[in-house]
Amino acid sequence: MTNTDTKQFSKIVIFGVGLIGGSFALALKKQNVVQQLVGLERNQVVLDRALELGIIDVASTDISGALHGADLVLIAAPVAQTESILRAIYPHLQPHTVVTDAGSTKSDVVAAARRALGNKIHQFVPAHPIAGREKNGPDAAIVDLYLGKKLVITALPENQQETIAVVVNAWQHCGAVPHLLTPDQHDQVFAAVSHLPHVLAYALVDQISKQPQADLRFQYAASGFRDFTRIAGSSPEMWRDISLANRTALQKELAIYQTQLQRIATALEHSDGDQLLSIFSNAQAARQTWIASIESAEKPPREGGD
Amino acid sequence: MTNTDTKQFSKIVIFGVGLIGGSFALALKKQNVVQQLVGLERNQVVLDRALELGIIDVASTDISGALHGADLVLIAAPVAQTESILRAIYPHLQPHTVVTDAGSTKSDVVAAARRALGNKIHQFVPAHPIAGREKNGPDAAIVDLYLGKKLVITALPENQQETIAVVVNAWQHCGAVPHLLTPDQHDQVFAAVSHLPHVLAYALVDQISKQPQADLRFQYAASGFRDFTRIAGSSPEMWRDISLANRTALQKELAIYQTQLQRIATALEHSDGDQLLSIFSNAQAARQTWIASIESAEKPPREGGD
């Protein structure tokens, strides 16, 4: 007989058992804090694979049964599916169950959650773990994906402190460090430092691939190009969805960037080296400051408990 | 007594003994193919340091003496200094000496060389080793910087085969793999895969640093941002000079990119997911093909000799 009394969660349900949901499951298993991990997933092959890899204890296709007795539900499916998953959850959601997500955008998720969950919205705590890999699927899941990484929680006014604490607690067991932002802050910040760079990298590789002598150009691309375009190796479908889900904030950042490029184009036209140097120097200095700050901050915290 | 007969080069002179020139010197020393390595450098501290580190055998401030008996001269100083260095070399250049450079742009270097060297232009073989690090100066120099890396030679119609062979030979001793391009081809290719990405990375970091809540934005920047902006850590002065030296080709690439971004802005405005997906998918596929091609090609060649 296992001593289930010592486990903090009797049941956690994960929608989407790929990289994000799978790594969450693996980390919680390692901490031995969940009695039963149940996975749900549109794609049966993926679901079977997650079970085979021991990421989940139970592969389910029955939402009602899966949700019964669940302490926590994590939605780690593509962001475009969030609303339909929440609608499917709603009728089976028990009062003590907390729901969270792992979507890369938050204002749209909050709007979808309000539509789908209505009077149960207080049970939903929107969140975004800042971690990833280029690989996807259950085979890409790793136990330490979240170790020392940020978890952004964009709590709602309706959330009670103990509801938020359930989400914080689960993610802290994964080694993540919780941070609070509003949904708007989150979306503006990530449009600037993540969504726009993805768009810029895709745009450059697409441009080069469509030029005459594309092969010649690619032949001489070196390590700087490789790093600059690494994020253009990410899932196109996922980034289409993120771009559309966060399009207001992304449009704003892109417009500022277009003005910035026009400034550089004008400087080139006038051979204005001072203007170029001013932009380049400021960027280099800002990046150095940033790198120094993350290097001092990024020592992974030791987890409490064992 | 050392057996100097076995060494291919009796004297090589290097203008600029930082990362590029210093790594060239270290690789040739390791191969034991040069009797004497002479360094010249504007900055006396740098010159002394290169001597102290054993990168060069002789630190010189006397161009006439340094050039006397030289087989090969490498100009590895900032590209903006190339013409004045060539002018200083001209009166002391003996008929058997071959001159080359390591500049990141080539059309402007060729034009400068024609102005500075006149009737001795056939002794100048323009080149560009495709290798680098973020660090600069003699302390950044490493013996294997060029191992398996491309050396682009943009030979002139005036160059004789045996003149080009001297440059090829020296760089092959460093482990570099020679490629031939015209100066125009070189500049267009590198505007696309190197110079434009540098400008784009600088532009993004500068933009974020000047926005309200810049600190908050930087706080959530993660590994994708770090890689995307790595090249924005490069020397602002060097990239100002490269941008101006190659401004015609860079302007052209930048204009195409601005059109590309406008296409994306329009797609966002119309929530046109198909258009976004088309750009993102094409970019992802092109990058995968490119990565596969460099992974199969980048096994460093074994050097001949010992």
Side-chain angles (χ1 to χ4, degrees), chain A residues 130 150 152 179-181 185 188-190 192-193 196-197 199-211 213 216-237 239-240 243-244 247 250-251 253-254 256-258 260-262 264-265 268-274 276-284 286-287 290-291 294 298, chain B residues 130 150 152 179-181 185 188-190 192-193 196-197 199-211 213 216-237 239-240 243-244 247 250-251 253-254 256-258 260-262 264-265 268-274 276-284 286-287 290-291 294 298:
Chain A
I130 314 304
K150 293 186 181 70
V152 178
H179 289 242
L180 279 174
L181 291 179
Q185 273 181 324
Q188 283 166 24
V189 163
F190 287 92
V193 301
L196 179 60
V199 165
L200 300 180
Y202 281 128
L204 182 72
V205 181
D206 179 64
Q207 168 171 332
I208 293 174
S209 78
K210 288 174 177 164
Q211 281 174 323
Q213 301 195 296
L216 187 71
R217 286 162 197 246
F218 278 123
Q219 192 186 340
Y220 291 96
S223 62
F225 182 83
R226 177 165 16 185
D227 287 354
F228 183 88
T229 62
R230 182 174 67 76
I231 49 182
S234 310
S235 159
E237 293 79 12
W239 283 95
R240 172 201 57 196
S243 299
L244 293 178
R247 85 185 176 100
L250 180 55
Q251 281 179 299
E253 290 300 316
L254 178 56
I256 299 171
Y257 193 75
Q258 289 180 285
Q260 178 84 328
L261 290 192
Q262 189 48 50
I264 291 174
L268 287 172
E269 199 182 320
H270 299 133
S271 294
D272 184 351
D274 289 345
L276 295 176
L277 185 62
S278 161
I279 294 169
F280 298 176
S281 298
N282 180 61
Q284 188 209 32
R287 189 175 187 280
W290 172 66
I291 288 283
I294 55 172
E298 260 191 1
Chain B
I130 314 304
K150 294 186 180 71
V152 178
H179 285 60
L180 279 175
L181 291 178
Q185 272 180 325
Q188 282 165 23
V189 163
F190 287 92
V193 301
L196 179 60
V199 165
L200 300 180
Y202 281 128
L204 182 72
V205 181
D206 179 64
Q207 168 171 332
I208 293 174
S209 78
K210 288 173 176 161
Q211 282 174 322
Q213 300 194 295
L216 187 72
R217 286 162 198 247
F218 278 123
Q219 191 186 341
Y220 291 96
S223 62
F225 182 83
R226 177 163 20 184
D227 287 355
F228 182 88
T229 61
R230 181 174 67 76
I231 48 183
S234 311
S235 158
E237 293 79 12
W239 283 95
R240 174 202 54 197
S243 300
L244 293 178
R247 83 185 180 103
L250 180 55
Q251 281 178 299
E253 291 301 317
L254 178 56
I256 299 171
Y257 193 76
Q258 289 180 285
Q260 178 84 330
L261 290 192
Q262 190 47 51
I264 291 173
L268 287 173
E269 199 182 319
H270 299 133
S271 294
D272 184 352
D274 290 346
L276 294 176
L277 186 62
S278 161
I279 294 170
F280 297 175
S281 298
N282 180 62
Q284 190 209 32
R287 189 174 188 279
W290 172 66
I291 288 283
I294 54 171
E298 260 192 2

Side-chain angles (χ1 to χ4, degrees), chain A residues 136-198:
Chain A
N136 289 308
D139 285 282
I142 49 175
V143 71
D144 59 356
L145 183 66
Y146 303 112
L147 191 62
K149 298 292 161 56
K150 293 186 181 70
L151 171 79
V152 178
I153 295 178
T154 62
L156 303 176
E158 293 89 343
N159 294 147
Q160 304 235 327
Q161 283 308 317
E162 55 264 39
T163 307
I164 299 170
V166 172
V167 176
V168 166
N169 182 25
W171 280 104
Q172 281 182 329
H173 279 298
C174 302
V177 184
H179 289 242
L180 279 174
L181 291 179
T182 68
D184 276 357
Q185 273 181 324
H186 171 281
D187 287 356
Q188 283 166 24
V189 163
F190 287 92
V193 301
S194 172
H195 308 170
L196 179 60
H198 275 80

